[in-house]
Amino acid sequence: MPTNFTVVPVEAHADGGGDETAERTEAPGTPEGPEPERPSPGDGNPRENSPFLNNVEVEQESFFEGKNMALFEEEMDSNPMVSSLLNKLANYTNLSQGVVEHEEDEESRRREAKAPRMGTFIGVYLPCLQNILGVILFLRLTWIVGVAGVLESFLIVAMCCTCTMLTAISMSAIATNGVVPAGGSYYMISRSLGPEFGGAVGLCFYLGTTFAGAMYILGTIEIFLTYISPGAAIFQAEAAGGEAAAMLHNMRVYGTCTLVLMALVVFVGVKYVNKLALVFLACVVLSILAIYAGVIKSAFDPPDIPVCLLGNRTLSRRSFDACVKAYGIHNNSATSALWGLFCNGSQPSAACDEYFIQNNVTEIQGIPGAASGVFLENLWSTYAHAGAFVEKKGVPSVPVAEESRASALPYVLTDIAASFTLLVGIYFPSVTGIMAGSNRSGDLKDAQKSIPTGTILAIVTTSFIYLSCIVLFGACIEGVVLRDKFGEALQGNLVIGMLAWPSPWVIVIGSFFSTCGAGLQSLTGAPRLLQAIARDGIVPFLQVFGHGKANGEPTWALLLTVLICETGILIASLDSVAPILSMFFLMCYLFVNLACAVQTLLRTPNWRPRFKFYHWTLSFLGMSLCLALMFICSWYYALSAMLIAGCIYKYIEYRGAEKEWGDGIRGLSLNAARYALLRVEHGPPHTKNWRPQVLVMLNLDAEQAVKHPRLLSFTSQLKAGKGLTIVGSVLEGTYLDKHMEAQRAEECVSTHIHTYTHSGREHRSTPLSLRAFPPAGSTGENIRSLMSTEKTKGFCQLVVSSSLRDGMSHLIQSAGLGGLKHNTVLMAWPASWKQEDNPFSWKNFVDTVRDTTAAHQALLVAKNVDSFPQNQERFGGGHIDVWWIVHDGGMLMLLPFLLRQHKVWRKCRMRIFTVAQVDDNSIQMKKDLQMFLYHLRISAEVEVVEMVENDISAFTYERTLMMEQRSQMLKQMQLSKNEQEREAQLIHDRNTASHTAAAARTQAPPTPDKVQMTWTREKLIAEKYRSRDTSLSGFKDLFSMKPEWGNLDQSNVRRMHTAVKLNGVVLNKSQDAQLVLLNMPGPPKNRQGDENYMEFLEVLTEGLNRVLLVRGGGREVITIYS
């Protein structure tokens, strides 16, 4: 309901603020009119371009001088005063986003403002009338009525007109939902359904318009060669029955010449085309008035138009005048020209055609008039196959044996096999053109009022004309004349022209100029539509067609349009081209109805059309009718058109530019996502449906650069585009201070060349190809483009927190939504945990391990992640080794299987190692593991490694001692920074020396009897004593040399012993593996030993190239059941 309001001036305070404002207002020299727009300083936040935000025309100083609004002065730099806002909205000086981007520049807008704007009648009604009434009405409607009968023809026209009426209602709702931009139907569809659908439908609409130009040109040439100047034909029929082939060749030659001529006219002076539009429209209107005048005249004074019949067969009167076999002259008979056509000579004794001899020649009136009662004869259909005789029902005929010379005799024959579906496809182009008004939306005075009114009135008018013409043609014209497509029984005259009054030439000349004008309009509109699509940038390979002449004329688009139109000309048959463009127009109308239905059902907040006479059921009915008509016309054309649109859709989806137009498909996606999220909310997924939904923890350095981009490479290899991926990162600080920095880190994160050390040598490697990701200092790539390049489909989430520890905990707890949450955390090993400048990295890491365990989430830790392969690399062989120490729910089995689905790891073979303890039967363990893998449908080599329970080595004690000494130093000694660096370097040197000794020991040849053996009591005792005897004396010496070993924590010694021994076994078996997956031991329950936990993991993975530490989430993730 309308709202009344009154603007009341506020009294100025006594401090004079109001007077100063008044003085400034009345000061001389103040320019009138709105000031030019200036960028407001704001708070630096990018805002949507809308009438309510960030658009201030008044200088900022004027905001703060008065004190009436001092409470809001801090907001005025970004939010304008209501007074200035209302002024701008009333004058349309600020248009919403999605409209300005397609308006002309400022100069052209001023030029358009001075030009007179068109109203409903001139701007919408007449253009729609001109485009709807055209070639099919004049050349094919009488034939459709004759073949299909009045009833079926009425049904065809009613279906097609209903389809366009429902589409017009949907289009009116879309067109009145806000300011209509210059661009018309394409912009309405694309802004309602998004760039993918918009591009696909826009190109279909373009192809339809282009083929319509070919159809109009073919209609022009058909009128010229058949009814105006038949002698102008270049190709003549060389043999009997060759007239059709010769006509096709003539159509191709003349059509090509006409196309080139029209293209030159459009290229040189498109303004003349627009000026001639009214002339062409006048031709159409005069022709229709002449038809109605002829119908009225035929009711009182039918025209004398005889049609010659031989038996019940219609004869072509192109080769004879008198419809008689012989003349009687002075009691003598002389043969007629008709006799010579059916006989071998003009003599009465000449041999004649059998049917000619047996049947008489009669003459009937071709147009008996509205009062003749012929309507009942034309009520029913008369379908026939190609080459059949056009016969009149109810006339006696003597049948004869099959004739061989039928094609050479002057019969009227059907040229194509007619059917109901074919007629629908041929007729439908005659009701297209309903978007002619919306295409001129930029030139309308009030587009939101004119488009619905003018379009619906035009459809009502043309529907009445078509339906009334069907009834009147059936009531006035003889059936055999209606079925005579080219008027051969009327001496080659146009059938509808013979009905018109005062002269047939009114229709012939009017239809000729009408089809010429429609062809020029198509060649004018199609290139501009293609240029609009190209300038949108949604289809990259079409961008060249967005350029043109200096004045903006689409030169390259016109050239492509001419080439496509030429393919329609080469088809050379109006009846073959019409179903093709019917498909494209029907698909366009289908998506217009879909757009209206989607917006209505979704109840989009911005969906507020002024046109109220619409409903989603009408749009759905129109969409269904369009789809039905497509398959009625031609099911293979329909599938082809859908395939073309589908290919364009997928191309734009994968290669096109990303556009945000606030379209309905995005709203539909949001509703579908909400529905799906609510469905998956109920409980965890079944084991069979479990897949890793990964939260990738990316670390940023001080320059907001990603430290380990290859984590994303590994994620894409692990996920193969399936499931959920969340890329998370943490910035330290407070959100109010860091929100801009966080946005830059998310949208403008640069990647640079990383340096890492492997096997004692320094390597430099780019995390991703230099082509896609430049080194530091070059143009930054955002995280989303990094994810796109690595084909990691997922979401990016960046958290600002007071500490890195809390931020990571927040991500683990809150990332995801509802049932769409992560169940696995992937992070890089903190390689700098021993460095003194980062003393808390190991603490954050250990706490993150505890958080994932508490949240029942799996944890994957990639060590030496910078040496992991890129997506472009391919391993030609090698192994993925799995060391299955403890059961983790099957994660270690599932991860290699998923990795091998990717091309990088596809040729790698999987090996599974498990460790046998003293009391285990290794042979039985191997059999059981092979059976387990068989039931899991996973192929892998199996090996059981037996670890001897021997005494703890001196190396283990030494590593434990250094570990505890380092821990004590970091906890108790308050050293200066330089002293800490020297101490850390000393410990690092000692660790390196110890590692060298360990590597030398691991290179010793393995003992053969320690692998693949079954433990017995005798073997066990012998092994123990043998190991103990060999090292007992040395151990006593070492204890005497290192008395402090006796004070070590025995729990730490045992853990270090396990790490050293297991590391030696893994190095022995998997040093050359492409990837090693290990069970990750859990952190100690006592938080005092966290730094020792890091040392244990470091020792466990020493000497390995690529390691993935795996910690299960506490549930089964793989099953043997189907």
Side-chain angles (χ1 to χ4, degrees):
M1 59 183 292
T3 304
N4 298 324
F5 60 91
T6 305
V7 180
V8 181
V10 180
E11 294 294 335
H13 287 268
D15 56 5
D19 295 336
E20 292 177 3
T21 307
E23 290 176 5
R24 283 195 310 275
T25 306
E26 297 174 0
T30 304
E32 296 182 0
E35 295 182 8
E37 294 189 5
R38 302 178 183 178
S40 60
D43 56 2
N45 294 332
R47 300 176 184 269
E48 184 179 8
N49 182 15
S50 74
F52 307 102
L53 296 175
N54 205 21
N55 287 281
V56 186
E57 291 187 1
V58 193
E59 292 186 2
Q60 183 181 0
E61 302 87 79
S62 63
F63 283 153
F64 306 112
E65 293 182 8
K67 297 182 180 178
N68 290 332
M69 293 295 169
L71 181 63
F72 300 98
E73 62 185 19
E74 291 187 1
E75 300 179 24
M76 289 180 183
D77 59 345
S78 58
N79 298 338
M81 292 289 293
V82 175
S83 57
S84 65
L85 170 66
L86 293 177
N87 180 41
K88 294 172 61 139
L89 288 179
N91 293 297
Y92 285 95
T93 58
N94 186 354
L95 299 179
S96 61
Q97 184 181 21
V99 178
V100 173
E101 60 190 34
H102 295 296
E103 287 295 323
E104 300 292 334
D105 56 16
E106 196 66 35
E107 182 180 356
S108 64
R109 283 204 296 270
R110 287 197 298 268
R111 190 165 59 247
E112 287 176 3
K114 296 177 182 177
R117 296 280 179 153
M118 294 183 290
T120 303
F121 186 76
I122 298 295
V124 180
Y125 180 77
L126 291 182
C128 287
L129 215 64
Q130 178 188 3
N131 280 267
I132 294 174
L133 300 172
V135 61
I136 301 296
L137 171 65
F138 300 119
L139 295 183
R140 291 293 183 269
L141 192 59
T142 54
W143 174 71
I144 291 173
V145 174
V147 173
V150 174
L151 292 180
E152 291 189 21
S153 300
F154 202 89
L155 177 62
I156 292 172
V157 174
M159 278 197 311
C160 295
C161 291
T162 303
C163 176
T164 54
M165 176 60 78
L166 294 174
T167 304
I169 292 173
S170 299
M171 186 186 71
S172 300
I174 298 174
T176 58
N177 187 47
V179 179
V180 180
S185 53
Y186 161 67
Y187 289 126
M188 287 193 299
I189 298 170
S190 60
R191 271 53 179 180
S192 297
L193 291 178
E196 293 87 2
F197 277 111
V201 179
L203 286 177
C204 286
F205 191 42
Y206 163 74
L207 292 174
T209 308
T210 304
F211 275 101
M215 183 188 73
Y216 291 131
I217 292 174
L218 290 174
T220 304
I221 303 306
E222 183 176 315
I223 294 171
F224 177 74
L225 291 179
T226 307
Y227 307 114
I228 297 179
S229 178
I234 299 174
F235 299 93
Q236 303 294 336
E238 298 179 356
E243 294 85 357
M247 184 64 178
L248 292 179
H249 293 314
N250 287 317
M251 297 277 281
R252 293 185 179 104
V253 173
Y254 276 98
T256 302
C257 296
T258 306
L259 175 62
V260 172
L261 183 63
M262 287 185 175
L264 289 176
V265 171
V266 172
F267 178 76
V268 174
V270 69
K271 57 183 179 180
Y272 301 112
V273 177
N274 295 327
K275 289 181 179 179
L276 290 173
L278 289 177
V279 177
F280 297 141
L281 179 61
C283 294
V284 175
V285 174
L286 288 176
S287 300
I288 292 173
L289 292 177
I291 293 172
Y292 282 110
V295 169
I296 296 172
K297 179 181 178 297
S298 71
F300 306 102
D301 183 17
D304 184 19
I305 303 174
V307 175
C308 186
L309 299 179
L310 178 61
N312 64 351
R313 299 177 183 178
T314 310
L315 297 180
S316 172
R317 300 194 71 161
R318 291 180 183 271
S319 305
F320 66 94
D321 295 325
C323 185
V324 293
K325 291 184 178 181
Y327 299 102
I329 303 175
H330 305 295
N331 297 325
N332 294 322
S333 63
T335 59
S336 64
L338 185 61
W339 183 279
L341 294 173
F342 281 90
C343 301
N344 290 335
S346 58
Q347 301 300 322
S349 59
C352 296
D353 181 75
E354 184 67 21
Y355 188 86
F356 181 74
I357 297 173
Q358 297 292 335
N359 291 274
N360 295 325
V361 176
T362 57
E363 201 170 55
I364 61 173
Q365 283 298 319
I367 303 179
S372 62
V374 75
F375 180 77
L376 295 177
E377 297 180 12
N378 295 329
L379 209 56
W380 309 106
S381 62
T382 311
Y383 297 112
H385 57 82
F389 299 104
V390 176
E391 299 175 338
K392 178 173 172 57
K393 300 175 183 177
V395 175
S397 173
V398 179
V400 296
E402 186 177 351
E403 304 128 287
S404 59
R405 293 178 60 237
S407 59
L409 298 176
Y411 291 120
V412 178
L413 305 175
T414 57
D415 60 334
I416 59 174
S419 63
F420 180 83
T421 58
L422 176 70
L423 297 183
V424 173
I426 292 175
Y427 173 76
F428 188 82
S430 65
V431 296
T432 60
I434 62 173
M435 293 185 174
S438 64
N439 289 338
R440 300 182 178 210
S441 56
D443 301 324
L444 298 175
K445 190 180 302 181
D446 185 359
Q448 297 191 27
K449 177 182 177 182
S450 298
I451 289 177
T453 307
T455 304
I456 292 176
L457 282 178
I459 292 176
V460 170
T461 304
T462 54
S463 299
F464 172 78
I465 291 173
Y466 280 123
L467 292 172
S468 62
C469 281
I470 286 174
V471 175
L472 295 176
F473 291 164
C476 297
I477 305 175
E478 181 63 48
V480 292
V481 178
L482 289 173
R483 294 194 295 277
D484 183 6
K485 184 186 291 187
F486 302 108
E488 296 180 32
L490 307 179
Q491 297 180 337
N493 290 314
L494 184 62
V495 174
I496 196 173
M498 302 303 290
L499 176 65
W501 182 86
S503 169
W505 287 101
V506 175
I507 300 293
V508 173
I509 300 301
S511 61
F512 178 79
F513 283 110
S514 169
T515 51
C516 277
L520 283 171
Q521 291 286 349
S522 297
L523 289 180
T524 304
R528 280 161 176 74
L529 179 59
L530 180 63
Q531 186 182 45
I533 298 172
R535 286 181 173 177
D536 261 348
I538 57 176
V539 185
F541 70 85
L542 289 181
Q543 289 184 359
V544 65
F545 299 107
H547 307 296
K549 294 193 292 187
N551 60 355
E553 291 297 317
T555 308
W556 293 106
L558 176 62
L559 180 61
L560 180 64
T561 302
V562 169
L563 292 177
I564 297 175
C565 194
E566 177 63 20
T567 62
I569 298 293
L570 294 178
I571 295 175
S573 172
L574 187 69
D575 302 325
S576 300
V577 174
I580 297 176
L581 65 99
S582 295
M583 290 301 113
F584 293 121
F585 277 117
L586 278 168
M587 181 164 289
C588 179
Y589 296 165
L590 184 149
F591 281 104
V592 169
N593 287 292
L594 175 64
C596 183
V598 166
Q599 299 274 29
T600 307
L601 289 173
L602 292 180
R603 295 185 177 89
T604 309
N606 191 50
W607 179 246
R608 302 183 299 274
R610 292 184 181 275
F611 182 79
K612 300 300 181 183
F613 304 101
Y614 73 95
H615 195 267
W616 69 267
T617 54
L618 295 178
S619 300
F620 186 79
L621 181 61
M623 182 178 66
S624 304
L625 190 55
C626 288
L627 189 63
L629 285 174
M630 287 178 68
F631 282 92
I632 287 174
C633 294
S634 173
W635 64 268
Y636 47 89
Y637 277 170
L639 292 179
S640 300
M642 289 180 175
L643 180 63
I644 292 173
C647 292
I648 297 170
Y649 178 94
K650 297 305 291 184
Y651 176 81
I652 295 174
E653 185 179 21
Y654 285 108
R655 290 283 183 266
E658 293 185 4
K659 300 285 183 179
E660 176 50 65
W661 289 335
D663 50 87
I665 294 298
R666 183 174 178 83
L668 183 64
S669 301
L670 290 173
N671 273 269
R674 169 186 166 275
Y675 175 78
L677 281 173
L678 291 175
R679 287 289 303 273
V680 301
E681 177 70 19
H682 308 294
H686 192 274
T687 303
K688 291 187 290 186
N689 296 327
W690 194 94
R691 67 168 61 246
Q693 317 286 8
V694 182
L695 169 62
V696 185
M697 293 288 196
L698 283 185
N699 293 327
L700 306 178
D701 60 17
E703 300 175 355
Q704 315 306 334
V706 178
K707 290 184 179 179
H708 304 294
R710 293 206 190 180
L711 272 178
L712 291 180
S713 305
F714 183 72
T715 304
S716 63
Q717 295 160 22
L718 179 65
K719 302 286 293 178
K722 301 296 188 297
L724 171 70
T725 301
I726 302 174
V727 179
S729 190
V730 180
L731 278 182
E732 291 190 73
T734 61
Y735 186 71
L736 290 178
D737 298 333
K738 294 277 189 175
H739 66 281
M740 291 302 298
E741 190 176 348
Q743 185 175 358
R744 284 195 300 269
E746 183 176 341
E747 296 183 355
C748 199
V749 176
S750 63
T751 60
H752 50 75
I753 297 178
H754 290 265
T755 303
Y756 65 94
T757 302
H758 173 58
S759 301
R761 293 171 296 177
E762 188 178 81
H763 296 260
R764 295 182 65 81
S765 69
T766 51
L768 301 165
S769 63
L770 286 173
R771 176 185 59 80
F773 295 96
S778 301
T779 304
E781 295 284 342
N782 58 38
I783 292 181
R784 291 188 177 89
S785 67
L786 178 65
M787 294 169 63
S788 176
T789 303
E790 289 303 308
K791 299 179 181 179
T792 305
K793 295 182 180 180
F795 309 98
C796 181
Q797 188 166 352
L798 198 140
V799 173
V800 179
S801 179
S802 57
S803 68
L804 186 65
R805 162 78 186 91
D806 291 342
M808 297 180 76
S809 179
H810 295 159
L811 277 175
I812 292 173
Q813 294 177 62
S814 60
L817 178 65
L820 198 64
K821 292 181 68 70
H822 63 278
N823 54 30
T824 305
V825 177
L826 172 63
M827 59 191 304
W829 171 260
S832 60
W833 72 273
K834 290 185 178 181
Q835 296 179 7
E836 301 307 317
D837 58 349
N838 193 9
F840 296 107
S841 63
W842 59 268
K843 184 67 175 174
N844 294 334
F845 175 81
V846 178
D847 286 341
T848 302
V849 175
R850 288 195 174 98
D851 287 344
T852 57
T853 304
H856 300 289
Q857 295 172 5
L859 177 64
L860 309 179
V861 179
K863 191 176 181 186
N864 301 327
V865 66
D866 292 326
S867 65
F868 276 53
Q870 302 177 14
N871 286 333
Q872 297 80 12
E873 297 180 24
R874 301 288 183 270
F875 285 132
H879 296 92
I880 300 177
D881 285 357
V882 176
W883 285 86
W884 194 17
I885 312 300
V886 295
H887 182 54
D888 57 354
M891 280 287 291
L892 283 171
M893 305 293 174
L894 187 60
L895 293 177
F897 171 78
L898 295 176
L899 282 175
R900 292 182 68 242
Q901 308 304 308
H902 197 273
K903 295 179 180 179
V904 173
W905 305 91
R906 187 164 295 165
K907 295 184 179 180
C908 294
R909 290 178 297 171
M910 182 176 167
R911 293 191 302 190
I912 297 181
F913 297 91
T914 188
V915 176
Q917 298 301 322
V918 175
D919 299 328
D920 296 329
N921 186 334
S922 57
I923 296 178
Q924 188 61 39
M925 283 178 63
K926 182 175 181 179
K927 290 181 180 180
D928 294 341
L929 183 54
Q930 288 174 335
M931 182 59 65
F932 181 59
L933 293 175
Y934 173 78
H935 287 305
L936 289 177
R937 289 89 62 202
I938 294 177
S939 60
E941 300 177 19
V942 175
E943 188 168 343
V944 178
V945 177
E946 297 169 342
M947 292 182 61
V948 179
E949 186 178 343
N950 52 13
D951 290 332
I952 300 173
S953 65
F955 174 72
T956 301
Y957 280 105
E958 185 67 23
R959 289 298 297 263
T960 309
L961 176 62
M962 287 188 293
M963 176 185 72
E964 293 194 356
Q965 286 177 348
R966 182 181 183 278
S967 300
Q968 292 299 322
M969 284 189 293
L970 292 179
K971 288 179 180 179
Q972 297 175 4
M973 295 177 62
Q974 300 297 326
L975 302 177
S976 65
K977 183 177 180 181
N978 293 333
E979 291 172 336
Q980 288 184 6
E981 290 177 356
R982 286 196 299 269
E983 186 66 19
Q985 185 63 39
L986 176 61
I987 295 173
H988 175 70
D989 295 340
R990 296 170 66 183
N991 286 346
T992 304
S994 301
H995 173 66
T996 305
R1001 273 194 302 276
T1002 56
Q1003 291 174 2
T1007 306
D1009 60 350
K1010 290 186 180 181
V1011 181
Q1012 297 297 344
M1013 62 179 289
T1014 302
W1015 288 104
T1016 62
R1017 183 176 181 81
E1018 294 76 9
K1019 288 183 180 180
L1020 173 61
I1021 295 174
E1023 182 66 26
K1024 280 186 176 182
Y1025 280 104
R1026 185 166 64 87
S1027 301
R1028 185 171 300 176
D1029 291 341
T1030 55
S1031 58
L1032 184 57
S1033 59
F1035 270 39
K1036 289 179 180 179
D1037 295 339
L1038 288 172
F1039 272 115
S1040 63
M1041 294 173 59
K1042 300 281 188 179
E1044 61 269 24
W1045 286 357
N1047 299 323
L1048 294 176
D1049 187 342
Q1050 293 303 308
S1051 175
N1052 288 339
V1053 173
R1054 289 195 305 272
R1055 288 188 176 91
M1056 183 63 73
H1057 174 67
T1058 302
V1060 171
K1061 191 145 184 77
L1062 189 56
N1063 174 256
V1065 174
V1066 174
L1067 277 176
N1068 183 33
K1069 296 290 184 182
S1070 303
Q1071 193 165 17
D1072 297 328
Q1074 304 291 7
L1075 179 65
V1076 177
L1077 282 79
L1078 272 169
N1079 278 118
M1080 182 178 180
K1085 295 181 180 179
N1086 181 10
R1087 293 175 178 267
Q1088 301 299 322
D1090 287 353
E1091 67 278 6
N1092 298 337
Y1093 173 68
M1094 298 297 292
E1095 187 72 36
F1096 296 145
L1097 295 181
E1098 188 76 59
V1099 172
L1100 180 63
T1101 57
E1102 267 183 344
L1104 297 173
N1105 184 15
R1106 303 183 190 93
V1107 183
L1108 187 67
L1109 294 172
V1110 180
R1111 184 163 175 78
R1115 60 162 295 168
E1116 294 292 331
V1117 301
I1118 195 168
T1119 178
I1120 64 174
Y1121 298 105
S1122 60

